[in-house]
Amino acid sequence: MSNYLYPGIYIEEIRGPQQISGVGTSTTAFVGWTERGPDEPTLIDSWNAFLAKFGNFTWGYNVPFAVYNFFAEGGAYAYVVRAKASDGLAAATVVHAPLQFTASSPGLWGNDLAIAIENYPWEDTPSTTLTPTFGVRVLYSAAKVDQDDSKKTVLERLITRYIKNNNLDSAKITRTVDYYVIEEFPGLTIKDLKKGANGQPSSLEAKINGQSLFIRVTVNAETPPAPTALAPALLVTGADSTSGTPVDYQDALARLDPITDASLLVMPDTGMLDDLKTQQATIQQGINYCEGRTPCDMFMIADAPFWLDPPTLRSFKRGEPITPPGATAAIDLENALNSDRGAIYYPWIDFFNASTARSITIPPAGAIAGTYAETDSRVGVFKAPAGIRDGRLSSAVSLTALVTEKAQGILNPDGINAIRSLPTYGIVTYGARTLSTDPSLIYISVRRLLTYIEMSLYRGLQWVVFEPNDQKLWGTVRRDVTVFLTQVWTAGGLFGAKDSDAFEVKVDASNNPPATRNQGLLYIDIKVAPVRPAEFVVLRIQQQTLPSA
């Protein structure tokens, strides 16, 4: 109490109700390999911010594609956690004269690339007015493409799809070997080899490294080399690499621990693994991380394996022994994917890369995280991010598999969300289920709404700790929680004609008797009735015979 010592007017501020604010729900953490960048989780707000810190698109690793499509679909903020490539996983490299060519990412896949320098020395005698040009071609073995798919790795299947989707031409670079030209950089001159001031990249480096999906190049000279240094040659890579898990997720996920404002988790490289058992274990690793966080505030969006069909994918989710298409032996999986802290989507999508004017096949989780974020912002976390409007994937141009109603009938009961191409409406996510077998938590919107309420109350009621545990505190807490839940109900997140139908808040002597209070405990019991999506719309039409006049 203040001491009033002299006549006059005194001003006192009285603390009002402690408003509970809703937490953010759409900031996404992307975990995986990037070609450069800081080790600590880094918050970005655009694709250009990612480019500046972490580098461009690379073949074989999907974080750049996931982030690009996240922002393209309406995402606003994301954390990027750069994971290390597994031990022994190196990038294929070859040196030709002053040029060093390196695969854009580590892994055995780079050993199948080849580089050709075209039109050097010049086919025509250089004139005094024209500067002769040469080109760099990135090649891929036609024999690899022609192999049966069952004998290919995931990356070999993807590069085959890349070649066929974009109608790329093959070329006989040597007398006996055919290659597909998967990238081409023509119109280069000797001046493009010269480094810029203060060691800035040459024009050739800037062009290829800024556009190529498959290679990076370094000019190992400050001045242009003599023309004879670029004689025609076929450059074949040869890295001493080992196979295995491409990314060390354990360390990267641990670095996410201090981040408190990320709600979604995407690990877009899980689908690049050839071993289905390791793929399933890696997805489970991400789900386990979400379940083990304190408080439990994250939800994982996972990608189905690229090359499984619906029946085999269902077995993958159930943890049953499966025989992949084209294989002869079954694979024993150890565990089912069963959690309300994650969702999985099938199939993969093709998106159009405007910088190269070609389509690329990528896992869908990054784009889907963008639809989560956009729907949260426009409607609310209680709205299922699916359907012809909220599930529309504007960045997708095609799908790797056509999901029919019959195929979705196989997937949906097991919580595998289908991405479908619907006439008139385009490509949309047409599933809204978690991986859980608990009937009360099978819907993504219900799980995420409960998390939103829990985290908002968790952070909004921190002031209650160490307050006197009496009727005054109980009344204040009841009032503040009721105000917050009323806002959720009014917005459409809770079901009920009136607020008493939608939620109940209990904090009084009945759930806080003396024995409880003597232990320093305060129980706040809350019941809510989440809205659920109308997943099955049944039109019941009956023929009626009208009475005669």
Side-chain angles (χ1 to χ4, degrees), residues 116-177:
I117 307 296
E118 297 291 313
N119 195 30
Y120 206 115
W122 323 120
E123 295 175 356
D124 302 315
T125 302
S127 69
T128 57
T129 58
L130 297 177
T131 301
T133 63
F134 66 95
V136 174
R137 280 181 164 184
V138 185
L139 311 172
Y140 190 78
S141 169
K144 282 277 189 179
V145 175
D146 294 337
Q147 275 187 335
D148 184 82
D149 277 353
S150 64
K151 299 179 181 179
K152 294 176 183 176
T153 66
V154 172
L155 282 173
E156 289 168 352
R157 294 169 188 251
L158 287 170
I159 202 168
T160 298
R161 183 175 176 85
Y162 176 83
I163 289 168
K164 293 181 177 180
N165 276 6
N166 294 291
N167 299 314
L168 302 184
D169 296 326
S170 61
K172 195 176 289 294
I173 305 301
T174 69
R175 292 183 179 180
T176 58
V177 181

Side-chain angles (χ1 to χ4, degrees), residues 74-384:
Y77 297 99
Y79 281 96
V80 178
V81 185
R82 186 171 187 260
K84 298 177 181 177
S86 296
D87 293 340
L89 210 59
T93 301
V94 68
V95 176
H96 177 65
L99 300 178
Q100 175 175 301
F101 294 95
T102 305
S104 61
S105 66
L108 286 172
W109 74 272
N111 292 346
D112 296 321
L113 294 180
I115 307 294
I117 307 296
E118 297 291 313
N119 195 30
Y120 206 115
W122 323 120
E123 295 175 356
D124 302 315
T125 302
S127 69
T128 57
T129 58
L130 297 177
T131 301
T133 63
F134 66 95
V136 174
R137 280 181 164 184
V138 185
L139 311 172
Y140 190 78
S141 169
K144 282 277 189 179
V145 175
D146 294 337
Q147 275 187 335
D148 184 82
D149 277 353
S150 64
K151 299 179 181 179
K152 294 176 183 176
T153 66
V154 172
L155 282 173
E156 289 168 352
R157 294 169 188 251
L158 287 170
I159 202 168
T160 298
R161 183 175 176 85
Y162 176 83
I163 289 168
K164 293 181 177 180
N165 276 6
N166 294 291
N167 299 314
L168 302 184
D169 296 326
S170 61
K172 195 176 289 294
I173 305 301
T174 69
R175 292 183 179 180
T176 58
V177 181
D178 285 341
Y179 286 89
Y180 280 94
V181 182
I182 56 177
E183 283 184 331
E184 192 167 14
F185 301 92
L188 300 168
T189 72
I190 198 72
K191 295 179 181 179
D192 292 322
L193 298 172
K194 183 176 176 58
K195 292 278 191 179
N198 301 319
Q200 292 296 310
S202 66
S203 297
L204 178 142
E205 292 169 308
K207 181 175 183 178
I208 293 180
N209 296 343
Q211 296 181 13
S212 177
L213 185 59
F214 298 96
I215 63 168
R216 300 292 182 261
V217 63
T218 302
V219 178
N220 296 320
E222 293 297 327
T223 57
T228 54
L230 287 176
L234 182 67
L235 309 179
V236 182
T237 62
D240 182 15
S241 305
T242 58
S243 60
T245 304
V247 169
D248 179 6
Y249 284 113
Q250 184 173 357
D251 174 67
L253 288 171
R255 282 183 272 129
L256 259 181
D257 288 347
I259 303 300
T260 60
D261 58 338
S263 301
L264 300 171
L265 173 65
V266 175
M267 295 161 52
D269 295 326
T270 57
M272 307 302 285
L273 299 164
D274 295 303
D275 182 0
L276 286 176
K277 183 179 291 188
T278 307
Q279 279 200 40
Q280 192 201 57
T282 306
I283 294 171
Q284 187 65 56
Q285 184 180 11
I287 291 172
N288 289 347
Y289 177 78
C290 293
E291 292 178 338
R293 278 178 64 94
T294 304
C296 197
D297 59 352
M298 294 193 77
F299 184 88
M300 182 181 184
I301 305 174
D303 302 295
F306 163 66
W307 45 286
L308 297 185
D309 57 17
T312 314
L313 178 57
R314 179 177 61 182
S315 296
F316 175 86
K317 191 270 181 185
R318 291 179 176 180
E320 300 171 342
I322 62 174
T323 303
T328 56
I331 299 172
D332 290 326
L333 300 177
E334 297 178 357
N335 295 299
L337 297 173
N338 180 10
S339 174
D340 61 290
R341 299 288 175 174
I344 194 167
Y345 289 83
Y346 168 88
W348 287 26
I349 65 175
D350 295 312
F351 101 100
F352 185 75
N353 181 8
S355 64
T356 61
R358 289 176 178 172
S359 69
I360 303 168
T361 302
I362 62 170
I368 290 168
T371 67
Y372 278 41
E374 195 278 333
T375 303
D376 287 358
S377 174
R378 181 171 46 81
V379 185
V381 70
F382 54 85
K383 171 64 178 71

Side-chain angles (χ1 to χ4, degrees), residues 2 4 9-13:
S2 302
Y4 305 116
I9 297 175
Y10 294 82
I11 298 176
E12 296 180 0
E13 291 188 359

